[in-house]
Amino acid sequence: MTSPSDRNQEIEQRERKLREKEVELRLREMEQQMNNNDVPFLKTVKYQPEQKPWMKKVILGGKLFALGVAALIAVRVASVLAGFIIVAVLGWVSYQLFFVSRKKS
């Protein structure tokens, strides 16, 4: 006959084995759920703000017009500056030719 302590140890050992089998079974079930290929995939779509197609063209035309105006202003400013520089250089050259050379002679 077996003693009560041996019987208790045997019962505890069986319970441990049973718990281990349950854990293994649950792990397998979870792994099968993770590897399940029946998961539906949703196709993602880039967010498009609601603009009318002609609105993009209007915005692009406005940018082009602003660039043209900026170019015209830059040309005007450059031509005025070039005029000032030309007048200044002509004045300096005429001063050098007519007034400085007479003083030395």
Side-chain angles (χ1 to χ4, degrees):
M1 283 200 16
T2 60
S3 66
S5 65
D6 288 341
R7 179 127 172 100
N8 285 341
Q9 286 179 355
E10 184 180 333
I11 291 175
E12 287 176 6
Q13 186 178 8
R14 285 183 181 177
E15 286 177 353
R16 257 188 269 123
K17 286 182 180 180
L18 183 62
R19 274 189 245 126
E20 287 176 2
K21 287 181 181 179
E22 288 175 354
V23 168
E24 287 178 8
L25 181 64
R26 181 65 186 141
L27 285 174
R28 276 192 228 118
E29 288 175 359
M30 289 172 63
E31 187 176 328
Q32 286 177 355
Q33 286 176 356
M34 287 176 22
N35 292 335
N36 193 358
N37 291 335
D38 296 335
V39 178
F41 287 102
L42 300 177
K43 184 176 180 180
T44 58
V45 178
K46 183 179 177 183
Y47 172 71
Q48 297 289 335
E50 293 184 20
Q51 284 186 350
K52 297 177 177 129
W54 58 269
M55 191 65 168
K56 288 182 181 181
K57 291 180 181 179
V58 168
I59 291 172
L60 184 62
K63 287 179 183 179
L64 183 61
F65 179 74
L67 183 64
V69 169
L72 285 174
I73 291 172
V75 167
R76 290 281 190 152
V77 169
S79 66
V80 169
L81 285 176
F84 285 146
I85 292 172
I86 289 171
V87 169
V89 168
L90 285 175
W92 182 76
V93 168
S94 62
Y95 172 77
Q96 290 292 326
L97 283 175
F98 297 113
F99 297 112
V100 174
S101 63
R102 289 188 180 169
K103 287 182 182 178
K104 290 183 181 178
S105 325

